[in-house]
Amino acid sequence: MTDIQLMEEAKKARKNAYAPYSNFAVGAALLTEGGALYTGCNIENAAYGPGNCAERTAFFKAVSEGERSFAKIAVVGGAEGSDPVEMCAPCGICRQVMREFCDPESFEILLQDGKGGVVSFTLGQLFPHGFGPENLGR
Ligand code: THU
């Protein structure tokens, strides 16, 4: 699957966003090393705190299905009803969740580049010097 195709899957997943409080809809498409696809959207809550980001929805779906090896994730977000082109970078909690399961040197995060294209970062670029399983001897 190409980076553009993965971003298209993220856009499709974004249509399911449940974001009645922020009205900011996010979609994510996570590709495993084995080529399986897991998508996610943000899911908000009246109590605010329980809300979940699109990236973590995708990761938790995948991990709960037994997946442990991930290649890349595409993320797209913006005001509900719009067709966003601006970059929507993962929040700090989502970067920490990625750090648990992904190699900072090779895992890729694909984002909108603001010009209608896709730009790729490694997890290490967006989350340098992170705390991970190795710190606990894992
Ligand atoms: N959100 C995500 O789902 N992913 C991101 O990368 C940034 C923020 C969600 C959380 C919340 O539902 C809404 O966007 C506004 O913060």
Side-chain angles (χ1 to χ4, degrees):
M1 178 172 297
T2 67
D3 290 356
I4 301 288
Q5 285 169 334
L6 196 61
M7 184 57 81
E8 289 305 313
E9 295 295 334
K11 288 179 186 174
K12 275 191 234 166
R14 181 173 173 267
K15 293 181 181 154
N16 291 326
Y18 177 75
Y21 306 105
S22 72
N23 300 120
F24 190 88
V26 186
L30 175 63
L31 192 65
T32 71
E33 293 281 11
L37 178 70
Y38 292 85
T39 60
C41 61
N42 55 331
I43 305 169
E44 297 186 348
N45 188 281
Y48 286 31
N52 205 50
C53 289
E55 298 91 320
R56 273 176 290 147
T57 301
F59 263 92
F60 294 159
K61 280 170 68 178
V63 172
S64 70
E65 296 294 325
E67 301 285 1
R68 294 292 186 274
S69 302
F70 301 101
K72 52 181 80 173
I73 190 169
V75 184
V76 57
E80 246 168 14
S82 72
D83 192 5
V85 293
E86 296 306 318
M87 184 177 294
C88 175
C91 80
I93 295 175
C94 288
R95 295 179 201 202
Q96 182 68 51
V97 167
M98 293 175 196
R99 182 69 181 75
E100 185 67 27
F101 297 103
C102 306
D103 178 357
E105 300 301 317
S106 62
F107 184 71
E108 287 181 67
I109 299 166
L110 309 176
L111 304 174
Q112 304 262 88
D113 68 359
K115 297 176 288 190
V118 170
V119 59
S120 169
F121 299 94
T122 65
L123 175 58
Q125 284 177 307
L126 295 190
F127 196 58
H129 307 294
F131 187 83
E134 320 79 58
N135 294 102
L136 298 178
R138 300 301 168 99

